Amino acid sequence: MSNSFITFVLLDRPVTPDMSAVAKILRARHPDLMTEPNDPGERQVQASSPLLRCGNRLVAVMPMPSPIPDDAGLWTRAATIWPEGKAVAVRHRGHLVVSALAKNESPLVAARVTTAVVGALIAALPECCGVVWDGRVARPSGLWQEESSRSFAPFPRYPFTLWVDILPFRSGAKIGMITVGLSAFVGREIEFVTGELALPALFEKVAGLSAYLIEHGNVVKDGDTIGASSSERIQVRHRDSGAFGGLPVFYCVDEVGH
């Protein structure tokens, strides 16, 4: 699990953000927060390590005049909801590294703060063309800017789908879904296999369980059963995935009770 998240904001060309302008946008998007550059008396913030205050937390924004390293698996996963992602990855020429500076902070708090700041950066910089969350989840900048407006919304309305991919797969005659990114919050991903549910219903189950775990932490124990009703029994086992290279997972199998 992580107490912070290293997020890359992809840029069509390298730029250094004006943190005073970003702070104003952040304040407008989230008016309940107090935001300011690291020194409100200075308009120019040190380019190598600019800081932005978001509420009572500091977030570092570091401009990098180069593309992020190529990761074929990242862009293959992203293609499910962002088919243009690979082309954006090929064309981008710079990026911003964004990370909340917090110790002993819950992952959810760090995720909310980082997401809000990334949304303000996108609003301030037309050069932004995509976001890679914690090296695992890639999303288009327009979607991120829209969804990040709910960074501080109460559970379950905050934008956890910016932080976690939910991807379908086949397991023999059955279908399944695997998460990517949830382990940063609770130490495991979800691997859910079903012979009962259609794909939309399966997605809804995995998304709901993901949001629940992000909100409450790793509270589902090995052998627990979960379900929306007394007739629904979904067994959860803590194990290493046989299908995904030994990845630690909450392995879920649905059973219909009578």
Side-chain angles (χ1 to χ4, degrees), residues 11-13 84 86-94 128-129:
L11 304 170
D12 285 324
R13 64 180 183 87
E84 303 84 7
K86 179 61 177 178
V88 170
V90 169
R91 80 165 192 256
H92 86 284
R93 291 295 176 264
C128 296
C129 53

Side-chain angles (χ1 to χ4, degrees), residues 8-248:
F8 300 144
V9 180
L10 277 56
L11 304 170
D12 285 324
R13 64 180 183 87
V15 292
T16 299
D18 178 340
M19 298 301 284
S20 294
V22 174
K24 291 178 182 178
I25 292 171
L26 185 58
R27 190 178 298 113
R29 285 168 62 86
H30 306 284
D32 292 339
L33 294 175
M34 294 180 61
T35 57
E36 60 185 14
N38 61 322
D39 184 349
E42 293 182 4
R43 185 168 180 80
Q44 297 300 321
V45 182
Q46 185 177 354
S48 60
S49 58
L51 298 176
L52 185 70
R53 185 171 295 280
C54 184
N56 61 356
R57 295 167 181 87
L58 290 174
V59 178
V61 181
M62 295 175 287
M64 304 295 288
S66 60
I68 66 172
D70 186 38
D71 182 342
L74 170 68
W75 299 109
T76 298
R77 293 192 302 272
T80 303
I81 63 171
W82 188 19
E84 303 84 7
K86 179 61 177 178
V88 170
V90 169
R91 80 165 192 256
H92 86 284
R93 291 295 176 264
H95 67 282
L96 306 173
V97 181
V98 184
S99 182
L101 303 181
K103 294 181 179 179
N104 302 319
E105 194 80 87
S106 77
L108 177 56
V109 170
R112 287 176 180 273
V113 169
T114 305
T115 300
V117 170
V118 170
L121 285 163
I122 294 170
L125 298 173
E127 294 84 359
C128 296
C129 53
V131 178
V132 175
W133 175 261
D134 206 36
R136 307 184 196 193
V137 181
R139 297 285 187 264
S141 55
L143 176 65
W144 189 284
Q145 184 178 353
E146 177 183 352
E147 294 288 305
S148 63
S149 65
R150 297 185 287 107
S151 295
F152 300 102
F155 169 81
R157 292 186 54 246
Y158 47 73
F160 69 92
T161 54
L162 297 177
W163 314 328
V164 178
D165 260 332
I166 302 175
L167 304 170
F169 65 92
R170 285 207 165 272
S171 179
K174 298 182 178 181
I175 60 172
M177 284 196 168
I178 184 79
T179 64
V180 178
L182 183 64
S183 58
F185 293 88
V186 292
R188 293 178 179 272
E189 302 295 342
I190 296 170
E191 182 181 351
F192 195 131
V193 177
T194 180
E196 304 287 341
L197 299 174
L199 206 58
L202 176 58
F203 181 90
E204 183 178 342
K205 295 290 185 190
V206 175
L209 181 55
S210 297
Y212 181 85
L213 290 167
I214 290 172
E215 176 71 14
H216 297 286
N218 188 351
V219 295
V220 179
K221 306 306 180 186
D222 183 36
D224 282 356
T225 58
I226 59 176
S229 68
S230 59
S231 64
E232 182 181 47
R233 291 291 181 267
I234 300 170
Q235 185 182 46
V236 182
R237 301 305 305 263
H238 291 197
R239 75 182 212 185
D240 296 338
S241 173
F244 296 95
L247 184 72

